Amino acid sequence: MSTEAPKLSQVEKLKEESQYLKGTIDTELAADTDHFGKDDIQLLKFHGTYQQDDRDKRAELKKTGGGKAFAMMVRCRIPGGRITSDQMLAQLDLCDELGDSTLRITTRQTLQLHGVLKQDLRATINRINEIELSTLAACGDVNRNVMCCPAKRNDQVHRDMVALTDQLVVALAPQTPAYHELWVADPDSGEKTLQGGGPIVEPLYGPRYLPRKFKIGIALPEDNCIDIYTQDLGFLAVVRDEKIIGYNVLVGGSMGNTPANKKTYPALSKRMAFCTPQQAVDVAKAVIKVQRDYGNREDRKLARMKYLVDKWGVEKFRRAVEEYYGQPLEDCTADDVTGFDDHMGWQDQGDGKLSYGLNIENGRLYDNDHRQLKAMMREICRTFGTELRMTGHQSIIVTDVDPGDKDKLIAILKKHNARTTEETSTVRRWSMACVAFPTCGLAVTESERRLPSLIDDLEQPLAKLGLDKERFTIRMTGCPNGCARPYNADIALVGKAREKYTLYVGGGWLGNRLAYIYKDMVPSADLADELIGIMSAFKSNANEGESLGEFCDRIGKDDLAVMAAAAPRP
Ligand code: SRM
Ligand code: SF4
């Protein structure tokens, strides 16, 4: 296969000339300024950090003629969301000492600090490395945090999935020494690992890295809690006799789109081929190489791998993967997703210990007069000292709890006014929102700060309708980029303009069907009423056993609108 030389986008040139992501970050770090220049901002993403500004302060600063209240977001890479209690304690200290005093669990099972000042960036990333976490490749045009079912189970299947996660992380990590040089090495030691004209590095990625971000997830058919159909590359375990005999490999999922650009769209991944556990890492490398060599480097809006998979069709894409891999792959088995366990509440690990899944609303750990979630987390870590696992729904699992300590854990939750699983309504438990305002530079409206009150407004009507135990996903984002994976949810609220949302319905908690646009530009103030109308229509018209998403998908937009208007309000 051959291609003509593409007309590279600006970011491509920047990456190529960056000396493997070094750029002028070191000079800028030393400069007495409160923000980085635009080229280094792009490179800093690969190092796990984004330059942002407090958007709540923009108007006020404009009035006083000032600039922006700049600060950095710092994202860790935490494969499969596994973290020790000590690492969590250190992250909590960091958010208090150098961040905005909150810690954010993300939709990809990792942690983010917000509000880190430029002058504290090196110390922050350095301290993260000291606790044996990393921010390298948490963002940027590389393979990002690998998602894996976070359930702790004493069985070979879960152990094998964790092992594959770790193998992928090692095999696909960027090799550039710039990261170590900038953030980890002692600046006074004179230790320099990347001199001009140094050895060629990045055997997998090359000097331009990938055309765009790249995401991998590993799931079980009965437990698609990492949303495999939204990943660029998904490994769906094929289990026989309690052993993983291989994986169905899915390619080309991703949520991001720009409504004004009709060439962009959210897409679910396609089933490509089957591989054995021994083949998985090399198959992942082959997929990455195909995207590296044939992905779009001219237009970043069309650079995600889904566009290549769709342009070629999955068969041609598979042949290219097989060519890079070096031999043909078998066809997928019939195994597909059948369930989704959010792992909340008590679960038996099978080794005499229990896990407790704790819903953290929109992933934000904070302390205020109502709830003290940071203090709660600290006490859990100090009391139990066990491994924690972040879920793909922005929540956290406390593992390895002795059955005799159940009450002790619940008492810590209650002491700090956290909701236990029993106290969390089903609708809240299955909802999530992206960050959006005030830190996200791309937000057009509220998300994390809007969803909780919307859920408050839904709880009573749902109970009156007898739907308080009904499981469906509500996902909100502050713009169409889709960071809370809205487009395959039962209900999605996607920010379209200030205080206005596009309302999607018809996806599902299984994650294997795309939602459709039900109404556009719905005012924030009307959201609760719109949703109650849909749920009333569902209550009155759904078939036995039909889920909300299935119902909306079957009925279609027009009939749903008629039914929702006619349905009695609770
Ligand atoms: Fe995201 C960009 C936050 C998961 C699709 N995302 C951003 C940025 C960095 C805004 C920016 O570029 O300036 C947001 C920072 C906000 C802030 O203040 O923290 C941001 N994305 C997040 C997080 C923190 C949302 C959350 O509430 O947890 C998630 C971090 C995950 C992680 O730990 O790595 C997050 N983003 C996702 C997901 C979900 C996923 O990966 O499972 C998606 C949809 C899947 C996908 O990739 O398509 C997602 N984020 C995007 C996009 C659209 C990408 C595209 O191909 O069109 C952007 C914008 C971009 O890349 O240009 C974006
Ligand atoms: Fe920001 Fe949009 Fe992502 Fe929300 S979906 S965090 S508003 S980029």
Side-chain angles (χ1 to χ4, degrees), residues 56-188:
D56 286 347
K57 296 196 174 138
R58 275 190 195 174
E60 197 52 41
L61 286 169
K62 206 169 174 187
K63 269 192 237 154
T64 54
K68 288 179 173 175
F70 287 107
M72 308 299 294
M73 174 267 272
V74 180
R75 186 182 291 166
C76 282
R77 189 158 43 89
I78 305 181
R82 286 170 284 130
I83 184 171
T84 66
S85 280
D86 284 346
Q87 288 168 330
M88 176 56 88
L89 284 168
Q91 288 274 343
L92 288 165
D93 288 348
L94 267 177
C95 86
D96 281 340
E97 291 166 33
L98 300 174
D100 69 354
S101 83
T102 73
L103 187 61
R104 183 64 155 65
I105 304 172
T106 74
T107 53
R108 292 193 69 78
Q109 303 181 279
T110 182
L111 291 171
Q112 276 185 193
L113 298 163
H114 287 105
V116 176
L117 296 178
K118 174 176 173 264
Q119 70 212 41
D120 296 327
L121 186 61
R122 188 177 186 283
T124 305
I125 298 183
N126 188 274
R127 277 175 61 177
I128 287 172
N129 279 272
E130 272 175 8
I131 56 167
E132 295 181 10
L133 291 176
S134 178
T135 63
L136 175 63
C139 325
D141 297 342
V142 281
N143 173 54
R144 298 195 175 187
N145 201 40
V146 177
M147 293 185 78
C148 178
C149 170
K152 187 151 189 181
R153 295 274 191 281
N154 184 31
D155 62 42
Q156 202 53 44
V157 166
H158 284 83
R159 277 195 290 272
D160 284 356
M161 292 201 302
V162 167
L164 176 60
T165 306
D166 291 345
Q167 285 159 19
L168 287 168
V169 171
V170 172
L172 310 180
Q175 299 297 309
T176 177
Y179 183 82
H180 181 86
E181 190 178 302
L182 284 166
W183 314 107
V184 185
D186 177 354
D188 300 324

Side-chain angles (χ1 to χ4, degrees), residues 84-86 88-89 92 346 356-360 365 372-389 396-401 405 408-416 418-419:
T84 66
S85 280
D86 284 346
M88 176 56 88
L89 284 168
L92 288 165
W346 291 109
Y356 186 77
L358 173 58
N359 182 274
I360 304 292
L365 293 168
Q372 301 78 43
L373 301 180
K374 284 189 301 175
M376 172 203 70
M377 214 58 243
R378 284 190 162 108
E379 194 169 339
I380 290 174
C381 291
R382 290 191 185 119
T383 307
F384 294 95
T386 51
E387 185 186 53
L388 305 164
R389 295 190 173 187
I396 198 151
I397 302 171
V398 184
T399 72
D400 294 329
V401 180
D405 285 341
K408 205 195 275 181
L409 179 66
I410 298 299
I412 297 175
L413 267 53
K414 293 205 178 279
K415 177 174 157 194
H416 298 288
R419 292 187 188 96

Side-chain angles (χ1 to χ4, degrees), residues 301-361:
K301 293 259 179 235
L302 302 177
R304 287 297 287 272
M305 196 173 80
K306 65 183 165 189
Y307 298 112
L308 182 61
V309 171
D310 290 350
K311 188 171 107 187
W312 281 2
V314 76
E315 275 314 310
K316 177 173 172 182
F317 188 87
R318 173 179 169 170
R319 284 198 299 279
V321 171
E322 289 170 337
E323 201 172 296
Y324 278 92
Y325 177 67
Q327 67 183 75
L329 297 167
E330 286 178 36
D331 289 346
C332 284
T333 65
D335 303 67
D336 203 347
V337 297
T338 55
F340 181 147
D341 185 346
D342 67 350
H343 306 294
M344 293 297 99
W346 291 109
Q347 294 199 331
D348 193 344
Q349 293 182 185
D351 57 358
K353 299 277 175 79
L354 299 173
S355 289
Y356 186 77
L358 173 58
N359 182 274
I360 304 292
E361 190 165 29

Side-chain angles (χ1 to χ4, degrees), residues 468-497:
D468 46 333
K469 297 280 177 279
E470 185 71 28
R471 177 174 52 173
F472 53 84
T473 42
I474 299 188
R475 296 178 177 175
M476 180 179 263
T477 57
C479 86
N481 280 319
C483 297
R485 298 187 293 270
Y487 303 109
N488 60 345
D490 291 84
I491 292 183
L493 303 159
V494 175
K496 183 75 177 290

Side-chain angles (χ1 to χ4, degrees), residues 52 55 75 104 433-437 439-448 476-487 494-495:
Q52 306 182 317
R55 297 184 61 183
R75 186 182 291 166
R104 183 64 155 65
C434 74
V435 179
F437 285 127
T439 52
C440 179
L442 304 179
V444 293
T445 194
E446 298 286 351
S447 182
E448 183 185 331
M476 180 179 263
T477 57
C479 86
N481 280 319
C483 297
R485 298 187 293 270
Y487 303 109
V494 175

